[in-house]
Amino acid sequence: MEKTKELQKIESQFETFQILNEDGEVVNKKAMPDLSDEQLKELMKRMVYTRIWDQRAISLNRQGRLGFYAPVAGQEASMIGSQFALEKQDWILPGYRDIPQIVFQGVPLEQAFLWSRGHLAGGQMPEGVNVMMPQIIIGAQITQTAGVAMGLKRKQKDAVAITYTGDGGASQGDFYEGMNFAGAYNVPAVFVVQNNRFAISVPVEKQSAAKTIAQKAVAAGIHGVQVDGMDILAVYAATQEARKRGLDGNGPTLIETLTYRYGPHTMAGDDPTRYRTSDLDDEWEKKDPLVRFRKFLEAKKLWTEEEENEVVEQAKEDIKEAIKKADNAPKQKVTDLIDLMHEELPYNLKEQKEEYTAKESK
């Protein structure tokens, strides 16, 4: 397809924003965020923690001790960097892969494991933690975020609503509807598309004729930016700016993070070797966000192998304890589900509840 000069001009405006290159060198000093040494180390700790958590979750899934799980290795910079730019009062509306963000926002790890198992307690977010239950329907969280952001604006809250989806989610109708609504009402929303190159098995090049996902912000009349999603500092800076833009009354932002998932789409039978080449895997492994940021910190003499090992052991211990708590959670009952769904039962459900109450008491 031959693109018009007008379209080429638009697409040329969306250059990838980067601060650290693959060797951990600063290539954009002007854009460096104002983070203390301790904050820089905290970013690394969270990425290492998440990588170990991901490895353990995959193992638990294979043992039948965890339910649904979508691996996150490779996407740590995109997830951790964006969440780190938020404040406690901000709202996160996650997709099903975005469990690290909500845990670092305040959801207990054992509750995340219960959600994975389909336990009703997994969706009961703690009081004061502004997080919605992870959305399974692809793209539905986009329209919900527009609504939450509208509520924040009407109540004059000093907060934004942020949501996440993948490149596949950017092809959903809800994606366009949510952004259009958010733009029309100028609400404080941040839409993060984690472009990991594949919607399950469909490569991003076959999903859209657009050169970037970020440029889709133009049609909605909102700001859009494409970010190196393997560069945690670039992701943090872009999210921080988007948050400020929303709070200042300058509307929503679409952030496209260029990233890669090293594992399968989910642990429910996906085999990435059927649609990804080893050469592509090797190319993106050289961009590993942990390796890149480790080099940056080591050059500043802020990170050691000993510190990393401490984080690894802490993660293993936390996961062990969280799984134990999840195992000890009260067994889920049908009557619990009925009670949660209805304040007043219709007559037919009263009969069914009586039947299940009798069964569960045996």
Side-chain angles (χ1 to χ4, degrees):
M1 180 179 69
E2 184 176 350
K3 296 189 176 182
T4 63
K5 290 182 180 179
E6 290 81 1
L7 180 54
Q8 292 177 25
K9 184 178 180 181
I10 290 173
E11 292 185 331
S12 67
Q13 296 173 17
F14 290 88
E15 297 181 356
T16 306
F17 174 60
Q18 183 186 67
I19 294 177
L20 296 180
N21 65 16
E22 294 176 23
D23 295 320
E25 300 167 337
V26 177
V27 294
N28 191 344
K29 291 183 179 180
K30 186 178 179 181
M32 273 290 290
D34 184 19
L35 292 170
S36 67
D37 288 349
E38 284 305 311
Q39 287 175 312
L40 292 173
K41 291 177 68 172
E42 181 63 25
L43 286 172
M44 186 62 185
K45 289 177 182 178
R46 292 187 182 192
M47 284 204 292
V48 172
Y49 191 101
T50 302
R51 181 67 61 90
I52 298 303
W53 165 12
D54 184 67
Q55 293 170 357
R56 186 62 182 137
I58 290 172
S59 177
L60 289 166
N61 175 275
R62 288 171 174 163
Q63 295 170 27
R65 298 179 63 195
L66 203 60
F68 174 86
Y69 185 69
V72 303
Q75 297 188 206
E76 293 94 344
S78 177
M79 295 175 163
I80 304 305
S82 56
Q83 187 278 329
F84 201 73
L86 303 178
E87 298 294 340
K88 179 179 173 60
Q89 65 266 29
D90 295 325
W91 280 84
I92 299 180
L93 289 87
Y96 51 75
R97 196 183 308 277
D98 306 303
I99 310 305
Q101 298 98 302
I102 66 175
V103 167
F104 287 116
Q105 191 74 1
V107 175
L109 186 56
E110 64 268 18
Q111 187 167 353
F113 288 148
L114 286 172
W115 177 82
S116 179
R117 292 177 174 184
H119 195 288
L120 60 88
Q124 297 172 336
M125 299 305 167
E127 189 70 29
V129 178
N130 295 343
V131 165
M132 297 286 279
M133 188 168 67
Q135 179 60 260
I136 290 293
I137 302 171
I138 305 295
Q141 65 271 33
I142 306 295
T143 51
Q144 292 172 335
T145 299
V148 171
M150 168 68 89
L152 293 174
K153 180 179 180 178
R154 289 177 64 87
K155 293 182 178 181
Q156 298 182 327
K157 298 290 187 179
D158 185 34
V160 301
I162 188 171
T163 190
Y164 300 83
T165 191
D167 44 289
S171 297
Q172 292 290 101
D174 283 347
F175 175 76
Y176 297 95
E177 293 171 12
M179 284 203 308
N180 188 69
F181 183 97
Y185 288 94
N186 197 45
V187 300
V190 181
F191 304 105
V192 181
V193 176
Q194 300 185 91
N195 180 359
N196 62 24
R197 316 260 357 129
F198 291 89
I200 305 182
S201 61
V202 181
V204 67
E205 294 82 6
K206 291 186 177 181
Q207 298 173 41
S208 173
K211 183 179 179 181
T212 70
I213 292 174
Q215 72 193 62
K216 299 187 178 188
V218 175
I222 68 175
H223 183 74
V225 60
Q226 185 184 75
V227 182
D228 182 347
M230 309 301 262
D231 174 2
I232 193 166
L233 294 183
V235 174
Y236 171 85
T239 310
Q240 184 184 51
E241 181 183 344
R243 182 178 187 274
K244 184 178 185 303
R245 184 180 296 110
L247 294 180
D248 288 346
N250 293 320
T253 299
L254 169 62
I255 300 175
E256 175 191 6
T257 62
L258 299 180
T259 186
Y260 197 75
R261 56 170 167 81
Y262 293 144
H265 175 68
T266 71
M267 296 302 295
D270 176 49
D271 179 6
T273 63
R274 298 181 64 182
Y275 54 86
R276 291 193 324 213
T277 66
S278 57
D279 287 344
L280 185 62
D281 287 344
D282 291 343
E283 175 189 340
W284 281 90
E285 283 178 8
K286 293 176 183 176
K287 302 177 182 181
D288 190 305
L290 275 71
V291 174
R292 182 184 307 199
F293 201 54
R294 184 184 297 119
K295 289 179 180 178
F296 169 74
L297 292 181
E298 287 176 345
K300 292 172 68 68
K301 301 189 183 307
L302 291 176
W303 195 252
T304 65
E305 184 178 354
E306 182 181 5
E307 287 177 294
E308 184 154 333
N309 289 336
E310 288 178 1
V311 177
V312 169
E313 293 307 312
Q314 185 63 58
K316 290 179 179 178
E317 185 61 33
D318 289 352
I319 293 162
K320 181 180 178 181
E321 185 63 28
I323 280 293
K324 185 184 296 184
K325 289 181 179 179
D327 288 341
N328 292 331
K331 188 176 180 180
Q332 191 165 250
K333 303 193 298 290
V334 173
T335 50
D336 292 333
L337 297 174
I338 293 174
D339 289 338
L340 281 171
M341 288 296 293
H342 299 272
E343 293 183 0
E344 186 173 341
L345 295 179
Y347 75 92
N348 57 325
L349 272 185
K350 287 181 180 179
E351 295 176 357
Q352 291 181 39
K353 184 181 178 182
E354 290 172 0
E355 292 176 10
Y356 277 105
T357 300
K359 291 178 181 179
E360 291 166 357
S361 63
K362 293 181 180 178

